[in-house]
Amino acid sequence: AQRVTQPEKLLSVFKGAPVELKCNYSYSGSPELFWYVQYSRQRLQLLLRHISRESIKGFTADLNKGETSFHLKKPFAQEEDSAMYYCALQAWAAGNKLTFGGGTRVLVKP
Amino acid sequence: DTGVSQDPRHKITKRGQNVTFRCDPISEHNRLYWYRQTLGQGPEFLTYFQNEAQLEKSRLLSDRFSAERPKGSFSTLEIQRTEQGDSAMYLCASSLDRDTEAFFGQGTRLTVV
């Protein structure tokens, strides 16, 4: 069975500082990894997916199959980045459902 | 709003009552998913549909839970004989097919008292 772990419940950083959200997964096959974000009073939305290899809102994430990690990084955090972030795994052999981590709340202080 | 729509947004019910939630996916999206999210946790998969066919159900979905998508469009999730442990946010998501992005609704927050 697949599993996603986000070890940090809360990350508090100052504006302009780098931020890194950790995500580790376990899955025996080749998963697809995602980061979802939920801003205050808004619905859950896709931030980025590893196959796209693109940077969204300054965020990047690299899939490290050796370490089974998919950490999310941004070099200079902005106040509008304050939100809940969820790492998720999608397994083709498991009906394409998403398996989510427990989430990390990011608070960017001015 | 052309996104995924869920109704109601909030539901308070007494233990033992039945409740039904509705999800309207984005038009022409073939896949529809239900998730449950409890406080401090990420969403957990409950079930999904490909058109009108229910293809998978999680072990979290006890026999008190039933979901339908009768015409391959909107879906309903019913919980019979609600328990306090059913209190959670119930999320619906839809996608065009298996390879495309899943879009989430705002959720229905259920409180069982």
Side-chain angles (χ1 to χ4, degrees):
Chain A
Q2 53 269 26
R3 184 180 178 90
V4 177
T5 303
Q6 294 180 248
E8 304 123 338
K9 286 289 187 183
L10 173 66
L11 275 180
S12 183
V13 300
F14 285 102
K15 177 183 173 181
V19 62
E20 180 178 21
L21 288 72
K22 291 185 168 49
C23 171
N24 289 91
Y25 68 90
S26 63
Y27 178 60
S28 56
S30 292
E32 184 165 351
L33 276 299
F34 304 79
W35 277 99
Y36 279 80
V37 61
Q38 188 167 27
Y39 301 103
S40 180
R41 300 184 184 281
Q42 294 188 26
R43 65 188 67 195
L44 199 59
Q45 58 186 282
L46 179 65
L47 179 63
L48 56 79
R49 56 198 302 178
H50 89 271
I51 61 170
S52 301
R53 295 184 176 275
E54 56 188 349
S55 172
I56 305 293
K57 299 184 179 183
F59 284 97
T60 58
D62 291 318
L63 178 60
N64 185 323
K65 291 187 177 180
E67 296 183 357
T68 59
S69 68
F70 188 57
H71 303 329
L72 183 69
K73 302 176 185 179
K74 184 168 183 177
F76 308 103
Q78 303 300 312
E79 289 183 68
E80 55 265 30
D81 296 327
S82 295
M84 279 295 297
Y85 292 80
Y86 295 96
C87 182
L89 177 155
Q90 187 176 54
W92 303 121
N96 288 82
K97 61 179 181 286
L98 292 165
T99 300
F100 287 88
T104 298
R105 178 170 297 281
V106 171
L107 178 61
V108 182
K109 297 177 287 186
Chain B
D1 187 358
T2 57
V4 178
S5 176
Q6 292 188 245
D7 183 70
R9 294 288 306 280
H10 304 274
K11 178 71 177 179
I12 300 175
T13 190
K14 290 184 178 180
R15 189 175 53 186
Q17 297 295 304
N18 299 345
V19 294
T20 300
F21 310 141
R22 177 180 170 123
C23 171
D24 286 90
I26 294 172
S27 179
E28 298 181 353
H29 275 196
N30 297 317
R31 291 209 164 197
L32 188 148
Y33 301 82
W34 285 99
Y35 291 85
R36 181 173 69 186
Q37 185 174 22
T38 53
L39 200 61
Q41 303 296 319
E44 294 176 294
F45 169 78
L46 291 178
T47 188
Y48 88 94
F49 293 83
Q50 171 79 27
N51 298 313
E52 67 274 9
Q54 188 174 19
L55 296 186
E56 185 176 349
K57 293 192 293 185
S58 164
R59 58 178 173 78
L60 293 175
L61 215 64
S62 76
D63 56 5
R64 295 186 297 106
F65 288 70
S66 62
E68 295 182 341
R69 194 182 183 197
K71 297 181 179 179
S73 56
F74 72 92
S75 175
T76 57
L77 178 67
E78 180 183 17
I79 309 174
Q80 296 182 327
R81 306 181 302 281
T82 52
E83 301 173 355
Q84 287 189 319
D86 297 331
S87 295
M89 177 73 84
Y90 289 84
L91 296 170
C92 177
S94 72
S95 66
L96 186 60
D97 57 38
R98 59 175 284 169
D99 295 325
T100 57
E101 177 183 349
F103 292 85
F104 282 81
Q106 294 271 38
T108 294
R109 182 171 295 283
L110 172 66
T111 302
V112 182
V113 297

